[in-house]
Amino acid sequence: MRVALFPGDGIGPEVIAEARLVLEALDLPSLEFEEGLVGGAAYKAMGHPLPQATLDIAERADAILFGAVGDPDCDRLERHLRPEQAILGLRRHLSFFANLRPAKLFPELADASALRPEVARQIDMVIVRELNGDVYFGEKGMRKTASGLREGYDVMAYNEDEVRRIARIGFETARARAGKLCSVDKANVLETSQLWRDVVIETAADYPDIELSHMYVDNAAMQLVRNPGQFDVIVTGNLFGDILSDQASMCAGSIGMLPSASLDVNQKGLYEPIHGSAPDIAGQGKANPLATILSAAMMLRYSLNQPEAADRIEGAVAKALASGARSPDLGGTLSTRAMGEAVRAVL
Ligand code: IPM
Ligand code: MG
């Protein structure tokens, strides 16, 4: 089992180090790591946020564990050289189109949620986010209007094949859970969303056992804080999924808790916490490594066919939380290392 480790920027190296130690503590035979540079770290060392050497490592790996990218030093670079291009490039080059972002409240963390505990306790959903299309990858640029004003533009587009394949992942995910799928769009305004909705409805014919609903994204944002317990699986596009998953994370306790999997058609995947590089706390040992540790568990389950090892990690995280381990984002004082230790102590 060859795992590529891409720590990246900011708190990325700190949280990846903890996840690696957790994986090593499992003592699995034939687990090998290969590290690569991504993001601002790669730009500074090699002049590009996603160097060919890193892509080569990604291609020969069975799975990728990714920290975070984003570095304020790089904010003024031309867009194709910015750190974020590393993650966007990996998703696109390796066709990781299906992003699974489970949001579930660990009962011990009900008080850390931005919502009232009795509301937060209901949260148990998976956001299925499309990752290879939408306004993220449409034509974009800067131009001048006829009257000489600067204008920025980004084209939003989805074709029906792109919608169909992510809709199927949404239906399949719902089938393995409570059987409810909510497709989130903005079909009252956007043509892209009208096609999205039409194709999701067509695809539903193959999934008569799934209860399908549709929701506009503004309403979905509101419902996520009003009554998050109503959601089982949400399927949505790249941009809406980006926004709603950050929101769901705070409802579920902390953005430091949510893992994610980005899969291709063969279950090869890239695994990363949904949080960013948090440059304001980088290097201070304040980051919560649990989102990355839980991402490693998802990697074992989805790409490496080690469901028992995945269960062990998830169980150890729950026990560590139950015994009171809390990083600053959860209202505690434990360092990044100490949080990792708390999980490894249980293992
Ligand atoms: C995420 C992040 C990325 C995204 C950034 C870093 C490009 O916010 O994974 O949610 O927008 O997809
Ligand atoms: Mg995001």
Side-chain angles (χ1 to χ4, degrees), residues 101 242 246 274:
R101 297 189 159 186
D242 178 46
D246 266 37
I274 78 151

Side-chain angles (χ1 to χ4, degrees), residues 166-177:
I166 195 70
R168 288 197 176 283
I169 302 285
F171 283 107
E172 299 287 345
T173 306
R175 189 170 266 174
R177 292 175 45 97

Side-chain angles (χ1 to χ4, degrees), residues 71-112:
D71 180 341
D73 292 351
C74 300
D75 280 353
R76 304 308 303 176
L77 291 173
E78 279 177 69
R79 185 162 299 281
H80 75 279
L81 293 176
R82 292 198 202 162
E84 289 76 9
Q85 296 305 312
I87 185 64
L88 298 176
L90 282 167
R91 289 172 183 170
R92 183 81 169 186
H93 280 297
L94 297 176
S95 301
F96 295 134
F97 72 97
N99 188 206
L100 309 182
R101 297 189 159 186
K104 186 176 159 104
L105 186 88
F106 283 90
E108 299 80 16
L109 296 184
D111 291 328

Side-chain angles (χ1 to χ4, degrees), residues 327-339:
S327 42
D329 58 309
L330 301 174
T333 56
L334 290 192
S335 67
T336 309
R337 175 51 43 94
M339 285 297 278

